[in-house]
Amino acid sequence: MEFKPDPYRPISRARRLLIVVLAIATAAFVVYSMTRRSGEVRNAVRHPADVAACKPGQTEGCVGSMTAVIAQPPQSSSASK
């Protein structure tokens, strides 16, 4: 049994038109998706105006949290001589 490739069949005009329409629609969708205004859902709910996170001396119930900072202790005066 010998292998016979299918004969070449050119694309019809209707199918060629369909390919062009789909290519244009895809390109238009990609351009729209990349250029549309982003963050509309996030902007729908507006946050209240900025207020101070904590009052002076307040350590609980603040916006955010109190965080201890780990830092190297200052060098003593005897070490700098």
Side-chain angles (χ1 to χ4, degrees):
M1 187 166 161
E2 190 175 321
F3 174 72
K4 284 183 145 183
D6 292 333
Y8 173 72
R9 295 184 324 204
I11 298 174
S12 67
R13 287 184 187 224
R15 178 127 335 160
R16 194 174 296 161
L17 179 65
L18 177 65
I19 291 170
V20 169
V21 168
L22 289 175
I24 291 172
T26 302
F29 177 74
V30 168
V31 168
Y32 166 75
S33 296
M34 294 180 74
T35 58
R36 71 185 173 98
R37 184 172 167 220
S38 64
E40 288 187 30
V41 173
R42 281 182 270 144
N43 291 337
V45 177
R46 298 284 180 197
H47 297 285
D50 286 339
V51 293
C54 294
K55 295 177 183 169
Q58 182 181 3
T59 59
E60 292 182 3
C62 300
V63 177
S65 65
M66 300 295 289
T67 305
V69 177
I70 300 172
Q72 199 173 29
Q75 294 182 355
S76 65
S77 60
S78 63
S80 62
K81 290 184 180 182

